[in-house]
Amino acid sequence: QQQVKQSPQSLIVQKGGISIINCAYENTAFDYFPWYQQFPGKGPALLIAIRPDVSEKKEGRFTISFNKSAKQFSLHIMDSQPGDSATYFCAASLYNTDKLIFGTGTRLQVFP
Amino acid sequence: DARVTQTPRDKVTEMGQEVTMRCQPILGHNTVFWYRQTMMQGLELLAYFRNRAPLDDSGMPKDRFSAEMPDATLATLKIQPSEPRDSAVYFCASGTVLGETQYFGPGTRLLVL
């Protein structure tokens, strides 16, 4: 119940294409869903986050779509660029806690 | 530009040796997290502190790992004795209480031979 399942494990996209990464969860007490981006040799960094009271959040080329009834959320990267090549982690946290439960990560490669 | 710092960045040691990793959280942050990252297990939470008090260390092998915060500017993760299966990248992250965002350090890459 505490898990966050992420897919795919790896993704190859051509420059200009759309990258889509999916996550699913079981625990309906989760109330905060961030995405972290990690470049090789660096620590993860917050990219974008959403709460379950909205179905979509957009920041530039990055959009989170959230489906509360299906208990799924996804990251869409529009007009993918080689600089977006990184590992992406979805995560979830419980109400009133500091802890994040991370997905297993998706390695994205964007080819020119 | 406030950031989490970790030392050492790289550590190679032999099995059985003690390893100490250090983390300086961002000034003013009062939650600190230790994670281990491997290809097989992904990002695992080992321990976390709020206001220097340990709140959860259930992810940590208690017989060989220990985590402490001697003061608000220093968190340590110690492995004694180290084993080859401890080889991983260890990240420290800090944040504010219920502040949502965790700010990660650059990690310590540990190789135990």
Side-chain angles (χ1 to χ4, degrees), chain A residues 74-106:
Chain A
S74 58
L75 176 70
H76 295 234
I77 306 174
M78 311 300 289
D79 186 27
S80 299
Q81 299 296 313
D84 298 330
S85 298
T87 300
Y88 292 82
F89 293 93
C90 62
S93 74
L94 293 168
Y95 173 75
N96 215 30
T97 71
D98 304 306
K99 285 171 59 171
L100 288 174
I101 312 297
F102 281 92
T104 49
T106 296

CSV table of all heavy atoms in Angstrom, one decimal, chain A residues 74-106:
chain,number,residue,atom,x,y,z
A,74,SER,N,0.7,11.1,-14.2
A,74,SER,CA,1.7,11.0,-15.2
A,74,SER,C,2.4,12.3,-15.5
A,74,SER,O,1.8,13.4,-15.2
A,74,SER,CB,1.1,10.4,-16.5
A,74,SER,OG,0.1,11.3,-17.0
A,75,LEU,N,3.6,12.2,-16.0
A,75,LEU,CA,4.4,13.4,-16.4
A,75,LEU,C,4.5,13.4,-17.9
A,75,LEU,O,4.8,12.4,-18.5
A,75,LEU,CB,5.8,13.3,-15.8
A,75,LEU,CG,6.8,14.4,-16.2
A,75,LEU,CD1,6.3,15.7,-15.6
A,75,LEU,CD2,8.2,14.1,-15.8
A,76,HIS,N,4.1,14.5,-18.5
A,76,HIS,CA,4.2,14.7,-19.9
A,76,HIS,C,5.3,15.8,-20.2
A,76,HIS,O,5.2,16.9,-19.6
A,76,HIS,CB,2.9,15.1,-20.5
A,76,HIS,CG,1.8,14.1,-20.4
A,76,HIS,ND1,1.1,13.7,-21.5
A,76,HIS,CD2,1.3,13.4,-19.3
A,76,HIS,CE1,0.2,12.8,-21.1
A,76,HIS,NE2,0.3,12.6,-19.8
A,77,ILE,N,6.2,15.4,-21.0
A,77,ILE,CA,7.2,16.4,-21.4
A,77,ILE,C,7.0,16.7,-22.9
A,77,ILE,O,7.2,15.8,-23.8
A,77,ILE,CB,8.7,15.9,-21.2
A,77,ILE,CG1,8.9,15.5,-19.8
A,77,ILE,CG2,9.7,17.0,-21.6
A,77,ILE,CD1,10.2,14.8,-19.5
A,78,MET,N,6.5,17.9,-23.2
A,78,MET,CA,6.3,18.3,-24.6
A,78,MET,C,7.5,18.8,-25.2
A,78,MET,O,8.4,19.3,-24.5
A,78,MET,CB,5.2,19.4,-24.6
A,78,MET,CG,4.0,19.1,-23.8
A,78,MET,SD,3.1,17.7,-24.3
A,78,MET,CE,2.4,18.3,-25.8
A,79,ASP,N,7.6,18.6,-26.6
A,79,ASP,CA,8.8,19.1,-27.3
A,79,ASP,C,10.1,18.7,-26.6
A,79,ASP,O,10.9,19.5,-26.2
A,79,ASP,CB,8.7,20.7,-27.4
A,79,ASP,CG,9.8,21.2,-28.3
A,79,ASP,OD1,10.3,20.5,-29.2
A,79,ASP,OD2,10.1,22.4,-28.1
A,80,SER,N,10.2,17.4,-26.4
A,80,SER,CA,11.4,16.9,-25.6
A,80,SER,C,12.7,17.3,-26.3
A,80,SER,O,12.8,17.3,-27.5
A,80,SER,CB,11.3,15.4,-25.5
A,80,SER,OG,10.1,15.0,-24.9
A,81,GLN,N,13.6,17.7,-25.4
A,81,GLN,CA,14.9,18.2,-25.8
A,81,GLN,C,16.0,17.2,-25.3
A,81,GLN,O,15.9,16.6,-24.3
A,81,GLN,CB,15.2,19.6,-25.4
A,81,GLN,CG,14.2,20.6,-25.9
A,81,GLN,CD,14.2,20.7,-27.4
A,81,GLN,OE1,15.3,20.9,-27.9
A,81,GLN,NE2,13.1,20.7,-28.0
A,82,PRO,N,17.2,17.2,-26.0
A,82,PRO,CA,18.3,16.4,-25.5
A,82,PRO,C,18.7,16.7,-24.1
A,82,PRO,O,19.1,15.9,-23.3
A,82,PRO,CB,19.4,16.7,-26.5
A,82,PRO,CG,18.7,17.0,-27.8
A,82,PRO,CD,17.5,17.7,-27.4
A,83,GLY,N,18.5,18.0,-23.7
A,83,GLY,CA,18.8,18.4,-22.3
A,83,GLY,C,17.9,17.9,-21.3
A,83,GLY,O,18.1,18.0,-20.1
A,84,ASP,N,16.8,17.3,-21.7
A,84,ASP,CA,15.8,16.6,-20.8
A,84,ASP,C,16.2,15.2,-20.5
A,84,ASP,O,15.6,14.6,-19.6
A,84,ASP,CB,14.4,16.5,-21.4
A,84,ASP,CG,13.8,17.9,-21.7
A,84,ASP,OD1,14.1,18.9,-21.0
A,84,ASP,OD2,13.0,18.0,-22.7
A,85,SER,N,17.3,14.7,-21.1
A,85,SER,CA,17.8,13.3,-20.9
A,85,SER,C,18.2,13.3,-19.4
A,85,SER,O,19.2,14.0,-19.0
A,85,SER,CB,18.9,13.0,-21.8
A,85,SER,OG,18.5,13.0,-23.2
A,86,ALA,N,17.6,12.4,-18.7
A,86,ALA,CA,17.8,12.3,-17.2
A,86,ALA,C,16.9,11.2,-16.7
A,86,ALA,O,16.2,10.5,-17.5
A,86,ALA,CB,17.4,13.6,-16.5
A,87,THR,N,17.1,10.9,-15.4
A,87,THR,CA,16.2,9.9,-14.8
A,87,THR,C,15.1,10.7,-14.0
A,87,THR,O,15.4,11.7,-13.3
A,87,THR,CB,16.9,9.0,-13.8
A,87,THR,OG1,17.9,8.3,-14.6
A,87,THR,CG2,16.0,8.0,-13.2
A,88,TYR,N,13.9,10.3,-14.2
A,88,TYR,CA,12.7,10.9,-13.6
A,88,TYR,C,12.1,10.0,-12.5
A,88,TYR,O,11.8,8.8,-12.8
A,88,TYR,CB,11.7,11.3,-14.6
A,88,TYR,CG,12.2,12.4,-15.6
A,88,TYR,CD1,13.1,12.1,-16.6
A,88,TYR,CD2,11.9,13.7,-15.3
A,88,TYR,CE1,13.6,13.1,-17.4
A,88,TYR,CE2,12.4,14.7,-16.2
A,88,TYR,CZ,13.3,14.4,-17.2
A,88,TYR,OH,13.8,15.4,-18.0
A,89,PHE,N,11.8,10.6,-11.4
A,89,PHE,CA,11.2,9.8,-10.3
A,89,PHE,C,9.9,10.4,-9.9
A,89,PHE,O,9.8,11.7,-9.7
A,89,PHE,CB,12.1,9.8,-9.0
A,89,PHE,CG,13.4,9.1,-9.1
A,89,PHE,CD1,14.5,9.7,-9.5
A,89,PHE,CD2,13.4,7.7,-8.9
A,89,PHE,CE1,15.7,9.1,-9.6
A,89,PHE,CE2,14.6,7.0,-9.0
A,89,PHE,CZ,15.8,7.7,-9.4
A,90,CYS,N,8.8,9.7,-9.9
A,90,CYS,CA,7.6,10.1,-9.3
A,90,CYS,C,7.7,9.8,-7.8
A,90,CYS,O,8.5,9.0,-7.3
A,90,CYS,CB,6.4,9.5,-9.9
A,90,CYS,SG,6.2,7.7,-9.7
A,91,ALA,N,6.9,10.5,-7.0
A,91,ALA,CA,6.8,10.3,-5.6
A,91,ALA,C,5.5,10.6,-5.0
A,91,ALA,O,4.7,11.2,-5.7
A,91,ALA,CB,7.9,11.1,-4.9
A,92,ALA,N,5.2,10.2,-3.8
A,92,ALA,CA,4.0,10.5,-3.1
A,92,ALA,C,4.3,10.7,-1.6
A,92,ALA,O,5.2,10.1,-1.1
A,92,ALA,CB,3.0,9.4,-3.3
A,93,SER,N,3.5,11.5,-1.0
A,93,SER,CA,3.6,11.6,0.5
A,93,SER,C,2.2,11.6,1.1
A,93,SER,O,1.2,12.0,0.5
A,93,SER,CB,4.4,12.8,0.9
A,93,SER,OG,3.7,14.0,0.7
A,94,LEU,N,2.3,11.2,2.4
A,94,LEU,CA,1.0,11.1,3.2
A,94,LEU,C,0.8,12.5,3.8
A,94,LEU,O,1.7,13.2,4.1
A,94,LEU,CB,1.2,10.1,4.3
A,94,LEU,CG,1.3,8.6,3.8
A,94,LEU,CD1,1.7,7.7,5.0
A,94,LEU,CD2,-0.1,8.1,3.3
A,95,TYR,N,-0.5,12.7,4.0
A,95,TYR,CA,-0.9,14.0,4.7
A,95,TYR,C,-0.2,14.1,6.0
A,95,TYR,O,-0.1,13.2,6.8
A,95,TYR,CB,-2.4,13.9,4.9
A,95,TYR,CG,-2.9,15.1,5.7
A,95,TYR,CD1,-3.0,16.4,5.2
A,95,TYR,CD2,-3.2,14.9,7.1
A,95,TYR,CE1,-3.5,17.4,5.9
A,95,TYR,CE2,-3.7,16.0,7.8
A,95,TYR,CZ,-3.8,17.2,7.3
A,95,TYR,OH,-4.2,18.3,8.0
A,96,ASN,N,0.3,15.3,6.2
A,96,ASN,CA,0.9,15.7,7.5
A,96,ASN,C,2.2,14.9,7.8
A,96,ASN,O,2.5,14.7,9.0
A,96,ASN,CB,-0.1,15.5,8.6
A,96,ASN,CG,0.1,16.5,9.7
A,96,ASN,OD1,0.5,17.6,9.4
A,96,ASN,ND2,-0.2,16.1,10.9
A,97,THR,N,2.9,14.4,6.8
A,97,THR,CA,4.2,13.8,7.0
A,97,THR,C,5.3,14.5,6.2
A,97,THR,O,4.9,15.2,5.2
A,97,THR,CB,4.2,12.3,6.7
A,97,THR,OG1,4.1,12.1,5.3
A,97,THR,CG2,3.1,11.6,7.4
A,98,ASP,N,6.5,14.2,6.5
A,98,ASP,CA,7.6,14.8,5.7
A,98,ASP,C,8.1,13.7,4.7
A,98,ASP,O,8.9,14.1,3.8
A,98,ASP,CB,8.8,15.1,6.6
A,98,ASP,CG,8.4,16.1,7.7
A,98,ASP,OD1,7.9,17.1,7.4
A,98,ASP,OD2,8.7,15.8,8.9
A,99,LYS,N,7.8,12.5,4.9
A,99,LYS,CA,8.4,11.4,4.1
A,99,LYS,C,7.8,11.3,2.7
A,99,LYS,O,6.6,11.6,2.4
A,99,LYS,CB,8.2,10.1,4.7
A,99,LYS,CG,9.0,9.8,6.0
A,99,LYS,CD,8.6,8.6,6.7
A,99,LYS,CE,8.7,7.3,5.9
A,99,LYS,NZ,8.4,6.1,6.7
A,100,LEU,N,8.7,11.1,1.7
A,100,LEU,CA,8.3,10.8,0.3
A,100,LEU,C,8.5,9.3,0.0
A,100,LEU,O,9.6,8.8,0.4
A,100,LEU,CB,9.1,11.7,-0.7
A,100,LEU,CG,8.9,13.2,-0.7
A,100,LEU,CD1,9.9,13.9,-1.6
A,100,LEU,CD2,7.4,13.4,-1.2
A,101,ILE,N,7.6,8.7,-0.7
A,101,ILE,CA,7.7,7.4,-1.2
A,101,ILE,C,8.0,7.5,-2.7
A,101,ILE,O,7.2,8.1,-3.5
A,101,ILE,CB,6.4,6.6,-1.0
A,101,ILE,CG1,5.9,6.7,0.4
A,101,ILE,CG2,6.7,5.1,-1.5
A,101,ILE,CD1,6.8,6.1,1.4
A,102,PHE,N,9.2,7.1,-3.1
A,102,PHE,CA,9.6,7.3,-4.5
A,102,PHE,C,9.3,6.1,-5.4
A,102,PHE,O,9.3,4.9,-4.9
A,102,PHE,CB,11.1,7.5,-4.6
A,102,PHE,CG,11.5,8.9,-4.2
A,102,PHE,CD1,11.9,9.2,-2.9
A,102,PHE,CD2,11.6,9.9,-5.2
A,102,PHE,CE1,12.3,10.5,-2.6
A,102,PHE,CE2,12.0,11.2,-4.8
A,102,PHE,CZ,12.3,11.5,-3.5
A,103,GLY,N,9.0,6.3,-6.6
A,103,GLY,CA,8.9,5.3,-7.6
A,103,GLY,C,10.3,4.8,-8.0
A,103,GLY,O,11.3,5.4,-7.5
A,104,THR,N,10.4,3.8,-8.9
A,104,THR,CA,11.6,3.2,-9.2
A,104,THR,C,12.5,4.0,-10.2
A,104,THR,O,13.6,3.6,-10.5
A,104,THR,CB,11.4,1.8,-9.7
A,104,THR,OG1,10.4,1.8,-10.7
A,104,THR,CG2,11.0,0.9,-8.5
A,105,GLY,N,11.9,5.0,-10.9
A,105,GLY,CA,12.6,5.8,-11.8
A,105,GLY,C,12.5,5.4,-13.2
A,105,GLY,O,12.2,4.2,-13.6
A,106,THR,N,12.5,6.4,-14.1
A,106,THR,CA,12.5,6.2,-15.6
A,106,THR,C,13.7,6.9,-16.2
A,106,THR,O,13.8,8.1,-16.0
A,106,THR,CB,11.2,6.7,-16.2
A,106,THR,OG1,10.1,6.0,-15.7
A,106,THR,CG2,11.2,6.6,-17.7
